[in-house]
Amino acid sequence: MKRIIERIGVVLTVGILLSSVAWAQATAEISGRVTDQSGAVLPGVEVSVTQTETGAARGAVTNEAGAYNLTNLPIGPYRLEVSLPGFRTYVQTGIVLQVGDSAAINAVLEVGQVSETVEVQANAALVETRTTSVSQVIDNVRVLELPLNGRQVTELILLSGVANVGGVNANNSGIRNYPTTTISVAGGMGNGLTYLLDGGTHNDIYNNLGYPMPFPDALQEFKVETSSMPAQYGQHSAGVMNAVTKSGTNDFHGSLFEFLRNGSLNARNAFAPTDDGLKRNQFGGTFGGPIIRNKLFFFGAHQTTTVRSAPSVDNQQRVPTAAMLAGDFTAVTSPACQNGRQIALRAPFVNNRINPALLSPVAVGIVAGGGLNKTGFKLPTPIDECGRVVVSRKVENDEYLTVGRMDYQWSDRHQLFGRYMEARRSTPNDFDPANWLSVSIGDLKQNVYSLVLGDTYLIGSGTVSSFRATLNRSAMDRKTPKFGGLDQLGVRNVYIPYPGHHRMVIQNGFNWAVNIQPGHYSGYAFQFSEDLSVVRDAHQIGIGASYIRSNLNANSGVSTNPTFTFTGTAISGLPLADFMIGRAETFAQGNETVGNGRQHYIALYLQDTWKANNNLT
């Protein structure tokens, strides 16, 4: 069994050296002084801490100033023990380290036998004496129990008090990137927040916003920091969100959940004719525990979200009526259809009539059906003589979030962990064959994968190495439903790179498939980082390096298919009339948008925290 465990550790270590991405600040530290009852410092005192949930232990010896420092500790509950021959052993429990904590715990030893113990239970908040940043920890209780719309953990950043929704320079269409919330911290840019998950970089390489975070049941806690932060956070411009996933312990724990929202259970909006028919289900579970007690632990979690709603009225548009197909525009130009004013078609048209022989066969084919190949093109039947139609769109999407983590206590000096997360989101198009104006989105597939491997090693007394390797990959694909193209209606001499659909805008009329062109955005980022903490006398020296390589491959057909815009200025003065005679005001077509960005980010830092005396750090 021992050889098997050692081989597992070797495999994990090799995996770390061959993988990618990270930062080492999903940890905490404890420091302090040990004195006797008279206040005299005690050098050579043995100080040890034990994480009570996993049995992981770390030790240190006080220096000639009676000071000790234990760095790069995993977060969680701890038991502190301080012992020296000739004195009673000092034990303090109830210590809970949160992400990024730098807690100061001083101990006073009383004269007596080592077998005698003075035990202190300290459930109060720990005092930090080394941190200069402005920060707020959102702990597990608040993550799980606070009301949270859609269970989107990122929105809890707003509880920090220095954050608000918005900001500039944040491209967040939810199409080219995984949907997220744009948040500005301390007045910074909306994409100026550095996201870290388990010490690994978690920023979208497309727009520098955050990748999807684990759902509340899979997240332990996170910390938001800004202002004067430690040197290893040099990448940020506004702030840092430092989050940590849950891990297994020596006890088995699990949960099952389902959250339901259903339109049948809700009151109808006072301004809506019917309820929204919403059916939203979020369900899943978590499970974690030991594989080998005090050695190897696992944790897994999954959440599925399904959203369905009845088609809702999006807006009202106008289409040509049967009278317009016959060349009669008297009704649509009347005050009843033009907000109380009369419109007259410009010359050469008389009495608001157009000779049907002048109507465009393409326009007639779109409105009445038929076309060159009898494709069956047909706009919805108007509900009045003004040509009004009701356009409704359905809402449907599915999301799957999965998190898995393994923690291995190789020895008292060596700990490793690995965490994998994937987020998959599917949104089908909203094309309704009964209403060709309904289509507003294409088939959208959005996937994000994240892997972090970490290694914390106690090199020697007062020297701790923390290495991270992370790989993030994203793939966003949009495909367009084929509902017919202009070439099928008889349009000639127009290049159509994506057959089966087109774009058309009629001012004060109808818009057809304006923003559903196909596109693909994929990329990956890998990072290696090393953080070395060295305690020497009154100095705690931090040395670190980070390398991030990111690749973005993008192509978009948003401008490639031709776009016809009718404003009425071409001939008649009425946009729908210009459409019927085939006289567009503008015609636009561009090249496919292609981007293949490559970036190297290299960072080095050196920081010295010097405890000049008992009252000055």
Side-chain angles (χ1 to χ4, degrees):
M1 178 60 71
K2 181 178 180 180
R3 290 185 177 180
I4 294 176
I5 295 174
E6 290 176 347
R7 289 180 180 178
I8 293 174
V10 171
V11 170
L12 286 174
T13 304
V14 172
I16 289 171
L17 296 176
L18 296 178
S19 286
S20 31
V21 199
W23 296 68
Q25 287 304 308
T27 56
E29 69 176 59
I30 297 176
S31 61
R33 282 200 319 147
V34 180
T35 61
D36 62 16
Q37 289 176 295
S38 67
V41 298
L42 296 175
V45 179
E46 293 185 359
V47 180
S48 65
V49 293
T50 303
Q51 191 183 47
T52 57
E53 290 183 341
T54 64
R58 181 83 65 79
V61 177
T62 59
N63 58 21
E64 64 276 4
Y68 72 93
N69 198 318
L70 295 162
T71 62
N72 296 101
L73 297 172
I75 64 173
Y78 277 86
R79 178 179 185 270
L80 173 74
E81 184 172 320
V82 182
S83 61
L84 181 67
F87 293 86
R88 296 176 179 175
T89 299
Y90 176 92
V91 175
Q92 183 167 328
T93 59
I95 302 169
V96 179
L97 294 182
Q98 296 178 322
V99 57
D101 270 352
S102 180
I105 301 178
N106 298 319
V108 178
L109 297 187
E110 300 177 3
V111 176
Q113 300 298 319
V114 177
S115 58
E116 298 179 289
T117 300
V118 176
E119 185 168 339
V120 177
Q121 294 198 2
N123 296 318
L126 300 176
V127 177
E128 294 193 13
T129 61
R130 296 172 179 262
T131 302
T132 57
S133 61
V134 177
S135 62
Q136 175 70 57
V137 173
I138 308 299
D139 57 35
N140 186 249
V141 174
R142 284 186 285 182
V143 169
L144 282 175
E145 296 185 3
L146 282 175
L148 188 58
N149 185 25
R151 292 166 56 81
Q152 294 291 337
V153 172
T154 306
E155 295 187 5
L156 290 175
I157 297 175
L158 302 174
L159 297 178
S160 64
V162 296
N164 65 285
V165 176
V168 298
N169 299 335
N171 186 351
N172 186 16
S173 65
I175 295 176
R176 301 177 183 90
N177 58 282
Y178 206 98
T180 187
T181 303
T182 302
I183 295 178
S184 172
V185 173
M189 297 185 297
N191 59 350
L193 186 63
T194 296
Y195 291 85
L196 304 176
L197 183 59
D198 294 320
T201 183
H202 207 64
N203 283 75
D204 191 332
I205 61 174
Y206 171 70
N207 54 16
N208 205 45
L209 297 175
Y211 277 131
M213 300 296 292
F215 54 95
D217 302 79
L219 191 70
Q220 179 63 32
E221 61 187 41
F222 68 86
K223 186 176 187 178
V224 180
E225 292 186 74
T226 188
S227 189
S228 302
M229 296 190 295
Q232 61 264 46
Y233 291 138
Q235 187 182 11
H236 89 290
S237 65
V240 173
M241 177 191 179
N242 194 349
V244 182
T245 57
K246 286 186 176 179
S247 58
T249 65
N250 274 326
D251 297 314
F252 289 101
H253 294 281
S255 65
L256 293 173
F257 61 85
E258 177 169 4
F259 295 86
L260 170 67
R261 290 174 59 185
N262 193 298
S264 301
L265 305 176
N266 299 334
R268 174 179 58 84
N269 186 301
F271 300 98
T274 61
D275 66 60
D276 56 11
L278 176 66
K279 295 180 180 179
R280 181 190 183 99
N281 289 80
Q282 286 185 298
F283 55 91
T286 66
F287 188 64
I291 298 176
I292 302 175
R293 288 184 61 84
N294 296 328
K295 277 289 185 181
L296 187 61
F297 310 91
F298 75 94
F299 177 81
H302 177 80
Q303 173 182 276
T304 293
T305 303
T306 63
V307 179
R308 304 288 187 272
S309 72
S312 59
V313 176
D314 182 70
N315 54 30
Q316 290 190 0
Q317 301 187 33
R318 293 188 181 187
V319 301
T321 63
M324 296 183 205
L325 287 173
D328 184 0
F329 288 80
T330 55
V332 74
T333 56
S334 67
C337 297
Q338 297 297 327
N339 297 321
R341 64 190 184 94
Q342 178 67 49
I343 291 180
L345 298 184
R346 294 199 295 253
F349 309 116
V350 181
N351 297 326
N352 288 328
R353 294 178 180 275
I354 299 176
N355 185 346
L358 299 178
L359 299 182
S360 165
V362 176
V364 173
I366 291 175
V367 177
L372 182 67
N373 299 318
K374 305 299 180 183
T375 55
F377 281 60
K378 189 173 183 180
L379 295 181
T381 301
I383 59 177
D384 60 19
E385 61 181 4
C386 299
R388 292 189 181 92
V389 295
V390 176
V391 179
S392 60
R393 296 186 170 97
K394 63 182 179 180
V395 175
E396 179 179 341
N397 62 68
D398 299 312
E399 184 182 47
Y400 308 93
L401 294 175
T402 303
V403 179
R405 175 167 175 148
M406 296 280 287
D407 291 83
Y408 179 48
Q409 308 290 344
W410 194 330
S411 67
D412 291 344
R413 302 167 60 94
H414 201 178
Q415 295 89 36
L416 304 99
F417 82 90
R419 188 266 303 154
Y420 173 76
M421 172 182 168
E422 70 175 33
R424 296 179 290 119
R425 193 171 188 270
S426 173
T427 306
N429 70 78
D430 55 358
F431 177 55
D432 180 2
N435 186 346
W436 287 48
L437 298 183
S438 64
V439 61
S440 64
I441 59 173
D443 293 303
L444 194 58
K445 300 286 187 181
Q446 299 169 300
N447 300 313
V448 171
Y449 310 94
S450 174
L451 172 68
V452 176
L453 300 172
D455 181 322
T456 301
Y457 183 67
L458 181 62
I459 298 175
S461 177
T463 303
V464 181
S465 166
S466 185
F467 176 79
R468 295 291 190 275
T470 309
L471 173 64
N472 292 330
R473 184 179 181 276
S474 62
M476 314 289 165
D477 285 295
R478 180 173 62 176
K479 296 181 179 179
T480 303
K482 293 184 178 181
F483 54 84
L486 296 175
D487 53 336
Q488 296 175 293
L489 291 168
V491 176
R492 292 291 179 265
N493 301 321
V494 175
Y495 173 62
I496 303 177
Y498 297 106
H501 69 275
H502 55 271
R503 295 153 51 101
M504 196 169 295
V505 178
I506 294 87
Q507 184 177 321
N508 297 323
F510 63 90
N511 297 332
W512 202 345
V514 175
N515 291 309
I516 64 168
Q517 274 57 41
H520 174 77
Y521 292 79
S522 66
Y524 69 85
F526 63 81
Q527 177 190 20
F528 298 99
S529 72
E530 168 66 26
D531 294 270
L532 191 66
S533 177
V534 181
V535 178
R536 291 293 183 269
D537 299 326
H539 294 267
Q540 181 184 341
I541 301 171
I543 306 171
S546 175
Y547 170 71
I548 303 176
R549 163 73 175 184
S550 59
N551 286 13
L552 175 64
N553 301 309
N555 64 76
S556 173
V558 70
S559 302
T560 53
N561 271 22
T563 301
F564 296 88
T565 303
F566 299 87
T567 64
T569 58
I571 294 184
S572 68
L574 184 68
L576 279 173
D578 276 9
F579 164 72
M580 290 304 299
I581 60 179
R583 294 299 296 270
E585 170 65 18
T586 60
F587 170 84
Q589 186 171 22
N591 293 325
E592 186 175 47
T593 302
V594 178
N596 296 292
R598 304 291 185 267
Q599 186 177 55
H600 299 270
Y601 173 86
I602 302 173
L604 303 172
Y605 76 86
L606 173 64
Q607 175 171 311
D608 181 13
T609 301
W610 174 34
K611 191 171 183 60
N613 57 49
N614 293 337
N615 301 314
L616 177 64
T617 300

